[in-house]
Amino acid sequence: QSALTQPASVSGSPGQSITISCTGTISDIGSYDLVSWYQHHAGKAPKLLIYEVIKRPSGISDRFSGSKSGNTASLTISGLQAEDEADYYCSSYAGITTYVVFGGGTKLAVL
Amino acid sequence: EVQLVESGGGLVQPGKSLRLSCAASGFIFDDFAMHWVRHSPGKGLEWVSSISWNSGSVYYADSVKGRFTISRDNAKNSLYLQMNSLRPEDAAFYYCAKDSAPHPGYSNTWGSWGQGTLVTVSS
């Protein structure tokens, strides 16, 4: 069982927007603005989409955005494209003992 | 360009050992913390271990603590994961990842990843 809870799957049509939630606790998401989001196509290297809750690395489309409220972080993908079909993972720093936790992943289907 | 290339994966029997390597290039290796993450189908990404720039701080997931050892050789721009007492549940693709900070936990920003190396644990 993952430390962070994500929906197993979400879906949307091309051009639409979707939001993936990532629920943690006061010990991780709720205490640190160190939430990251990764896109993973099976067999390939995961790609960093969002770091420090809202920041985008250079080269990442502004269709990807992050936010946080309390113990829950969210990733929003706007203007869905077929190439966005992938698994998405959140992670959060969780302090000196646990260090880092990942979500269980959300499979995005672009219908 | 940052490049991370994992190697050392393979088929191993339960209880045996394996050593993974990650060769880094394209950046100043000893400026950054490094991490190992694994992925097995149906289980998602799982953080395994992390090490600071100077090896002064190391962290392990509970699932591997006492069995796996992370290390690095900054002179060789290489990261390692010694895996002992392997179990079937350790079977996965193992990825190394580069942090954006010298110490784990400063940023939780892992911007570069390798392509992974597959570990299979079976008798």
Side-chain angles (χ1 to χ4, degrees), chain A residues 61-91:
Chain A
S61 170
D62 59 5
R63 297 188 300 108
F64 296 92
S65 62
S67 63
K68 188 184 92 165
S69 177
N71 299 335
T72 298
S74 298
L75 172 71
T76 298
I77 308 174
S78 59
L80 274 178
Q81 300 177 1
E83 68 207 48
D84 297 333
E85 253 195 19
D87 295 325
Y88 292 83
Y89 293 88
C90 59
S91 82

PDB file of all heavy atoms in Angstrom, chain A residues 61-91:
ATOM      1  N   SER A  61       5.642  21.459 -20.934  1.00  0.00           N
ATOM      2  CA  SER A  61       4.546  22.286 -21.429  1.00  0.00           C
ATOM      3  C   SER A  61       3.768  22.923 -20.289  1.00  0.00           C
ATOM      4  O   SER A  61       3.579  22.316 -19.228  1.00  0.00           O
ATOM      5  CB  SER A  61       3.606  21.424 -22.268  1.00  0.00           C
ATOM      6  OG  SER A  61       2.418  22.119 -22.567  1.00  0.00           O
ATOM      7  N   ASP A  62       3.278  24.140 -20.531  1.00  0.00           N
ATOM      8  CA  ASP A  62       2.456  24.807 -19.519  1.00  0.00           C
ATOM      9  C   ASP A  62       1.055  24.210 -19.459  1.00  0.00           C
ATOM     10  O   ASP A  62       0.196  24.708 -18.719  1.00  0.00           O
ATOM     11  CB  ASP A  62       2.407  26.308 -19.744  1.00  0.00           C
ATOM     12  CG  ASP A  62       1.837  26.690 -21.095  1.00  0.00           C
ATOM     13  OD1 ASP A  62       1.381  25.782 -21.837  1.00  0.00           O
ATOM     14  OD2 ASP A  62       1.833  27.890 -21.427  1.00  0.00           O
ATOM     15  N   ARG A  63       0.798  23.159 -20.210  1.00  0.00           N
ATOM     16  CA  ARG A  63      -0.455  22.419 -20.065  1.00  0.00           C
ATOM     17  C   ARG A  63      -0.466  21.641 -18.745  1.00  0.00           C
ATOM     18  O   ARG A  63      -1.529  21.218 -18.288  1.00  0.00           O
ATOM     19  CB  ARG A  63      -0.653  21.448 -21.224  1.00  0.00           C
ATOM     20  CG  ARG A  63      -0.781  22.093 -22.585  1.00  0.00           C
ATOM     21  CD  ARG A  63      -1.164  21.073 -23.662  1.00  0.00           C
ATOM     22  NE  ARG A  63      -0.203  19.987 -23.819  1.00  0.00           N
ATOM     23  CZ  ARG A  63      -0.426  18.736 -23.420  1.00  0.00           C
ATOM     24  NH1 ARG A  63      -1.573  18.400 -22.834  1.00  0.00           N
ATOM     25  NH2 ARG A  63       0.494  17.810 -23.614  1.00  0.00           N
ATOM     26  N   PHE A  64       0.702  21.454 -18.175  1.00  0.00           N
ATOM     27  CA  PHE A  64       0.817  20.746 -16.908  1.00  0.00           C
ATOM     28  C   PHE A  64       0.961  21.769 -15.785  1.00  0.00           C
ATOM     29  O   PHE A  64       1.813  22.659 -15.843  1.00  0.00           O
ATOM     30  CB  PHE A  64       2.045  19.825 -16.919  1.00  0.00           C
ATOM     31  CG  PHE A  64       1.968  18.718 -17.931  1.00  0.00           C
ATOM     32  CD1 PHE A  64       2.499  18.892 -19.201  1.00  0.00           C
ATOM     33  CD2 PHE A  64       1.361  17.515 -17.629  1.00  0.00           C
ATOM     34  CE1 PHE A  64       2.423  17.892 -20.153  1.00  0.00           C
ATOM     35  CE2 PHE A  64       1.275  16.497 -18.567  1.00  0.00           C
ATOM     36  CZ  PHE A  64       1.814  16.686 -19.834  1.00  0.00           C
ATOM     37  N   SER A  65       0.122  21.627 -14.761  1.00  0.00           N
ATOM     38  CA  SER A  65       0.204  22.545 -13.630  1.00  0.00           C
ATOM     39  C   SER A  65      -0.064  21.782 -12.340  1.00  0.00           C
ATOM     40  O   SER A  65      -0.765  20.765 -12.330  1.00  0.00           O
ATOM     41  CB  SER A  65      -0.779  23.702 -13.784  1.00  0.00           C
ATOM     42  OG  SER A  65      -2.100  23.223 -13.816  1.00  0.00           O
ATOM     43  N   GLY A  66       0.527  22.286 -11.260  1.00  0.00           N
ATOM     44  CA  GLY A  66       0.372  21.639  -9.966  1.00  0.00           C
ATOM     45  C   GLY A  66      -0.174  22.601  -8.926  1.00  0.00           C
ATOM     46  O   GLY A  66      -0.054  23.820  -9.060  1.00  0.00           O
ATOM     47  N   SER A  67      -0.773  22.012  -7.892  1.00  0.00           N
ATOM     48  CA  SER A  67      -1.301  22.802  -6.789  1.00  0.00           C
ATOM     49  C   SER A  67      -1.343  21.943  -5.542  1.00  0.00           C
ATOM     50  O   SER A  67      -1.105  20.718  -5.589  1.00  0.00           O
ATOM     51  CB  SER A  67      -2.699  23.339  -7.123  1.00  0.00           C
ATOM     52  OG  SER A  67      -3.612  22.255  -7.299  1.00  0.00           O
ATOM     53  N   LYS A  68      -1.629  22.600  -4.426  1.00  0.00           N
ATOM     54  CA  LYS A  68      -1.721  21.869  -3.163  1.00  0.00           C
ATOM     55  C   LYS A  68      -2.693  22.579  -2.241  1.00  0.00           C
ATOM     56  O   LYS A  68      -2.729  23.814  -2.184  1.00  0.00           O
ATOM     57  CB  LYS A  68      -0.347  21.796  -2.486  1.00  0.00           C
ATOM     58  CG  LYS A  68      -0.303  20.898  -1.260  1.00  0.00           C
ATOM     59  CD  LYS A  68       1.053  20.944  -0.581  1.00  0.00           C
ATOM     60  CE  LYS A  68       1.104  21.990   0.498  1.00  0.00           C
ATOM     61  NZ  LYS A  68       2.275  21.824   1.390  1.00  0.00           N
ATOM     62  N   SER A  69      -3.471  21.779  -1.511  1.00  0.00           N
ATOM     63  CA  SER A  69      -4.348  22.313  -0.480  1.00  0.00           C
ATOM     64  C   SER A  69      -4.357  21.326   0.673  1.00  0.00           C
ATOM     65  O   SER A  69      -4.769  20.178   0.511  1.00  0.00           O
ATOM     66  CB  SER A  69      -5.765  22.508  -1.022  1.00  0.00           C
ATOM     67  OG  SER A  69      -6.626  22.966  -0.001  1.00  0.00           O
ATOM     68  N   GLY A  70      -3.852  21.782   1.809  1.00  0.00           N
ATOM     69  CA  GLY A  70      -3.788  20.895   2.961  1.00  0.00           C
ATOM     70  C   GLY A  70      -2.900  19.691   2.694  1.00  0.00           C
ATOM     71  O   GLY A  70      -1.734  19.839   2.321  1.00  0.00           O
ATOM     72  N   ASN A  71      -3.460  18.512   2.872  1.00  0.00           N
ATOM     73  CA  ASN A  71      -2.706  17.279   2.682  1.00  0.00           C
ATOM     74  C   ASN A  71      -2.856  16.687   1.286  1.00  0.00           C
ATOM     75  O   ASN A  71      -2.452  15.537   1.051  1.00  0.00           O
ATOM     76  CB  ASN A  71      -3.137  16.228   3.706  1.00  0.00           C
ATOM     77  CG  ASN A  71      -2.890  16.661   5.139  1.00  0.00           C
ATOM     78  OD1 ASN A  71      -2.027  17.489   5.396  1.00  0.00           O
ATOM     79  ND2 ASN A  71      -3.659  16.098   6.058  1.00  0.00           N
ATOM     80  N   THR A  72      -3.456  17.447   0.376  1.00  0.00           N
ATOM     81  CA  THR A  72      -3.708  16.936  -0.968  1.00  0.00           C
ATOM     82  C   THR A  72      -3.058  17.817  -2.031  1.00  0.00           C
ATOM     83  O   THR A  72      -3.235  19.028  -2.040  1.00  0.00           O
ATOM     84  CB  THR A  72      -5.214  16.835  -1.238  1.00  0.00           C
ATOM     85  OG1 THR A  72      -5.813  15.919  -0.313  1.00  0.00           O
ATOM     86  CG2 THR A  72      -5.481  16.332  -2.657  1.00  0.00           C
ATOM     87  N   ALA A  73      -2.310  17.168  -2.903  1.00  0.00           N
ATOM     88  CA  ALA A  73      -1.731  17.839  -4.057  1.00  0.00           C
ATOM     89  C   ALA A  73      -2.481  17.406  -5.306  1.00  0.00           C
ATOM     90  O   ALA A  73      -3.117  16.346  -5.327  1.00  0.00           O
ATOM     91  CB  ALA A  73      -0.251  17.492  -4.193  1.00  0.00           C
ATOM     92  N   SER A  74      -2.420  18.233  -6.325  1.00  0.00           N
ATOM     93  CA  SER A  74      -3.129  17.917  -7.566  1.00  0.00           C
ATOM     94  C   SER A  74      -2.285  18.267  -8.778  1.00  0.00           C
ATOM     95  O   SER A  74      -1.514  19.242  -8.755  1.00  0.00           O
ATOM     96  CB  SER A  74      -4.451  18.697  -7.640  1.00  0.00           C
ATOM     97  OG  SER A  74      -5.313  18.348  -6.578  1.00  0.00           O
ATOM     98  N   LEU A  75      -2.449  17.476  -9.810  1.00  0.00           N
ATOM     99  CA  LEU A  75      -1.835  17.726 -11.104  1.00  0.00           C
ATOM    100  C   LEU A  75      -2.965  17.927 -12.105  1.00  0.00           C
ATOM    101  O   LEU A  75      -3.856  17.075 -12.213  1.00  0.00           O
ATOM    102  CB  LEU A  75      -0.970  16.548 -11.539  1.00  0.00           C
ATOM    103  CG  LEU A  75      -0.421  16.611 -12.970  1.00  0.00           C
ATOM    104  CD1 LEU A  75       0.658  17.678 -13.076  1.00  0.00           C
ATOM    105  CD2 LEU A  75       0.109  15.242 -13.418  1.00  0.00           C
ATOM    106  N   THR A  76      -2.942  19.032 -12.805  1.00  0.00           N
ATOM    107  CA  THR A  76      -3.935  19.298 -13.845  1.00  0.00           C
ATOM    108  C   THR A  76      -3.258  19.290 -15.198  1.00  0.00           C
ATOM    109  O   THR A  76      -2.199  19.906 -15.374  1.00  0.00           O
ATOM    110  CB  THR A  76      -4.640  20.640 -13.616  1.00  0.00           C
ATOM    111  OG1 THR A  76      -5.345  20.592 -12.383  1.00  0.00           O
ATOM    112  CG2 THR A  76      -5.626  20.927 -14.746  1.00  0.00           C
ATOM    113  N   ILE A  77      -3.851  18.564 -16.116  1.00  0.00           N
ATOM    114  CA  ILE A  77      -3.374  18.546 -17.493  1.00  0.00           C
ATOM    115  C   ILE A  77      -4.478  19.137 -18.354  1.00  0.00           C
ATOM    116  O   ILE A  77      -5.596  18.611 -18.391  1.00  0.00           O
ATOM    117  CB  ILE A  77      -3.048  17.125 -17.978  1.00  0.00           C
ATOM    118  CG1 ILE A  77      -2.112  16.426 -16.990  1.00  0.00           C
ATOM    119  CG2 ILE A  77      -2.406  17.174 -19.365  1.00  0.00           C
ATOM    120  CD1 ILE A  77      -1.847  14.960 -17.317  1.00  0.00           C
ATOM    121  N   SER A  78      -4.182  20.229 -19.019  1.00  0.00           N
ATOM    122  CA  SER A  78      -5.176  20.867 -19.878  1.00  0.00           C
ATOM    123  C   SER A  78      -4.864  20.557 -21.339  1.00  0.00           C
ATOM    124  O   SER A  78      -3.730  20.200 -21.685  1.00  0.00           O
ATOM    125  CB  SER A  78      -5.183  22.380 -19.645  1.00  0.00           C
ATOM    126  OG  SER A  78      -3.915  22.910 -19.914  1.00  0.00           O
ATOM    127  N   GLY A  79      -5.871  20.718 -22.176  1.00  0.00           N
ATOM    128  CA  GLY A  79      -5.677  20.465 -23.600  1.00  0.00           C
ATOM    129  C   GLY A  79      -5.121  19.074 -23.855  1.00  0.00           C
ATOM    130  O   GLY A  79      -4.113  18.910 -24.536  1.00  0.00           O
ATOM    131  N   LEU A  80      -5.791  18.059 -23.307  1.00  0.00           N
ATOM    132  CA  LEU A  80      -5.301  16.688 -23.395  1.00  0.00           C
ATOM    133  C   LEU A  80      -4.896  16.308 -24.821  1.00  0.00           C
ATOM    134  O   LEU A  80      -5.597  16.630 -25.792  1.00  0.00           O
ATOM    135  CB  LEU A  80      -6.358  15.705 -22.906  1.00  0.00           C
ATOM    136  CG  LEU A  80      -6.419  15.414 -21.412  1.00  0.00           C
ATOM    137  CD1 LEU A  80      -7.562  14.468 -21.109  1.00  0.00           C
ATOM    138  CD2 LEU A  80      -5.097  14.856 -20.912  1.00  0.00           C
ATOM    139  N   GLN A  81      -3.777  15.608 -24.894  1.00  0.00           N
ATOM    140  CA  GLN A  81      -3.299  15.095 -26.173  1.00  0.00           C
ATOM    141  C   GLN A  81      -3.072  13.594 -26.047  1.00  0.00           C
ATOM    142  O   GLN A  81      -2.853  13.073 -24.941  1.00  0.00           O
ATOM    143  CB  GLN A  81      -1.992  15.803 -26.563  1.00  0.00           C
ATOM    144  CG  GLN A  81      -2.127  17.293 -26.718  1.00  0.00           C
ATOM    145  CD  GLN A  81      -0.811  17.975 -27.039  1.00  0.00           C
ATOM    146  OE1 GLN A  81       0.231  17.339 -27.166  1.00  0.00           O
ATOM    147  NE2 GLN A  81      -0.861  19.297 -27.176  1.00  0.00           N
ATOM    148  N   ALA A  82      -3.125  12.915 -27.168  1.00  0.00           N
ATOM    149  CA  ALA A  82      -2.949  11.462 -27.163  1.00  0.00           C
ATOM    150  C   ALA A  82      -1.642  11.060 -26.497  1.00  0.00           C
ATOM    151  O   ALA A  82      -1.566  10.048 -25.791  1.00  0.00           O
ATOM    152  CB  ALA A  82      -3.022  10.925 -28.589  1.00  0.00           C
ATOM    153  N   GLU A  83      -0.610  11.861 -26.690  1.00  0.00           N
ATOM    154  CA  GLU A  83       0.708  11.542 -26.138  1.00  0.00           C
ATOM    155  C   GLU A  83       0.755  11.648 -24.622  1.00  0.00           C
ATOM    156  O   GLU A  83       1.727  11.230 -23.992  1.00  0.00           O
ATOM    157  CB  GLU A  83       1.767  12.462 -26.738  1.00  0.00           C
ATOM    158  CG  GLU A  83       1.620  13.921 -26.304  1.00  0.00           C
ATOM    159  CD  GLU A  83       2.183  14.901 -27.312  1.00  0.00           C
ATOM    160  OE1 GLU A  83       1.868  14.762 -28.508  1.00  0.00           O
ATOM    161  OE2 GLU A  83       2.932  15.800 -26.888  1.00  0.00           O
ATOM    162  N   ASP A  84      -0.302  12.219 -24.027  1.00  0.00           N
ATOM    163  CA  ASP A  84      -0.342  12.335 -22.565  1.00  0.00           C
ATOM    164  C   ASP A  84      -0.713  11.003 -21.906  1.00  0.00           C
ATOM    165  O   ASP A  84      -0.608  10.870 -20.685  1.00  0.00           O
ATOM    166  CB  ASP A  84      -1.343  13.403 -22.129  1.00  0.00           C
ATOM    167  CG  ASP A  84      -0.971  14.791 -22.601  1.00  0.00           C
ATOM    168  OD1 ASP A  84       0.236  15.049 -22.800  1.00  0.00           O
ATOM    169  OD2 ASP A  84      -1.886  15.622 -22.794  1.00  0.00           O
ATOM    170  N   GLU A  85      -1.153  10.047 -22.706  1.00  0.00           N
ATOM    171  CA  GLU A  85      -1.491   8.740 -22.133  1.00  0.00           C
ATOM    172  C   GLU A  85      -0.258   8.120 -21.510  1.00  0.00           C
ATOM    173  O   GLU A  85       0.741   7.862 -22.184  1.00  0.00           O
ATOM    174  CB  GLU A  85      -2.043   7.796 -23.225  1.00  0.00           C
ATOM    175  CG  GLU A  85      -3.498   7.577 -23.126  1.00  0.00           C
ATOM    176  CD  GLU A  85      -4.054   6.420 -23.911  1.00  0.00           C
ATOM    177  OE1 GLU A  85      -3.321   5.495 -24.321  1.00  0.00           O
ATOM    178  OE2 GLU A  85      -5.267   6.464 -24.096  1.00  0.00           O
ATOM    179  N   ALA A  86      -0.315   7.910 -20.191  1.00  0.00           N
ATOM    180  CA  ALA A  86       0.842   7.426 -19.438  1.00  0.00           C
ATOM    181  C   ALA A  86       0.398   7.202 -18.004  1.00  0.00           C
ATOM    182  O   ALA A  86      -0.756   7.434 -17.650  1.00  0.00           O
ATOM    183  CB  ALA A  86       1.979   8.445 -19.484  1.00  0.00           C
ATOM    184  N   ASP A  87       1.328   6.769 -17.201  1.00  0.00           N
ATOM    185  CA  ASP A  87       1.100   6.687 -15.762  1.00  0.00           C
ATOM    186  C   ASP A  87       1.690   7.925 -15.108  1.00  0.00           C
ATOM    187  O   ASP A  87       2.770   8.393 -15.499  1.00  0.00           O
ATOM    188  CB  ASP A  87       1.757   5.436 -15.180  1.00  0.00           C
ATOM    189  CG  ASP A  87       1.125   4.161 -15.700  1.00  0.00           C
ATOM    190  OD1 ASP A  87      -0.108   4.152 -15.920  1.00  0.00           O
ATOM    191  OD2 ASP A  87       1.854   3.165 -15.896  1.00  0.00           O
ATOM    192  N   TYR A  88       1.007   8.447 -14.109  1.00  0.00           N
ATOM    193  CA  TYR A  88       1.447   9.657 -13.416  1.00  0.00           C
ATOM    194  C   TYR A  88       1.597   9.361 -11.929  1.00  0.00           C
ATOM    195  O   TYR A  88       0.724   8.743 -11.321  1.00  0.00           O
ATOM    196  CB  TYR A  88       0.450  10.792 -13.637  1.00  0.00           C
ATOM    197  CG  TYR A  88       0.448  11.266 -15.070  1.00  0.00           C
ATOM    198  CD1 TYR A  88      -0.303  10.602 -16.035  1.00  0.00           C
ATOM    199  CD2 TYR A  88       1.217  12.355 -15.469  1.00  0.00           C
ATOM    200  CE1 TYR A  88      -0.266  11.006 -17.363  1.00  0.00           C
ATOM    201  CE2 TYR A  88       1.251  12.773 -16.793  1.00  0.00           C
ATOM    202  CZ  TYR A  88       0.512  12.083 -17.731  1.00  0.00           C
ATOM    203  OH  TYR A  88       0.547  12.482 -19.047  1.00  0.00           O
ATOM    204  N   TYR A  89       2.719   9.805 -11.380  1.00  0.00           N
ATOM    205  CA  TYR A  89       3.025   9.551  -9.983  1.00  0.00           C
ATOM    206  C   TYR A  89       3.321  10.852  -9.258  1.00  0.00           C
ATOM    207  O   TYR A  89       4.037  11.717  -9.783  1.00  0.00           O
ATOM    208  CB  TYR A  89       4.255   8.647  -9.846  1.00  0.00           C
ATOM    209  CG  TYR A  89       4.052   7.241 -10.349  1.00  0.00           C
ATOM    210  CD1 TYR A  89       4.284   6.929 -11.688  1.00  0.00           C
ATOM    211  CD2 TYR A  89       3.626   6.231  -9.497  1.00  0.00           C
ATOM    212  CE1 TYR A  89       4.095   5.640 -12.164  1.00  0.00           C
ATOM    213  CE2 TYR A  89       3.442   4.936  -9.960  1.00  0.00           C
ATOM    214  CZ  TYR A  89       3.683   4.646 -11.295  1.00  0.00           C
ATOM    215  OH  TYR A  89       3.497   3.376 -11.753  1.00  0.00           O
ATOM    216  N   CYS A  90       2.814  10.952  -8.047  1.00  0.00           N
ATOM    217  CA  CYS A  90       3.195  12.048  -7.179  1.00  0.00           C
ATOM    218  C   CYS A  90       4.212  11.522  -6.174  1.00  0.00           C
ATOM    219  O   CYS A  90       4.283  10.320  -5.914  1.00  0.00           O
ATOM    220  CB  CYS A  90       1.993  12.632  -6.453  1.00  0.00           C
ATOM    221  SG  CYS A  90       1.080  11.463  -5.418  1.00  0.00           S
ATOM    222  N   SER A  91       4.989  12.422  -5.647  1.00  0.00           N
ATOM    223  CA  SER A  91       5.886  12.073  -4.549  1.00  0.00           C
ATOM    224  C   SER A  91       6.015  13.277  -3.638  1.00  0.00           C
ATOM    225  O   SER A  91       5.839  14.425  -4.059  1.00  0.00           O
ATOM    226  CB  SER A  91       7.263  11.626  -5.050  1.00  0.00           C
ATOM    227  OG  SER A  91       8.095  12.728  -5.331  1.00  0.00           O
TER     228      SER A  91
END
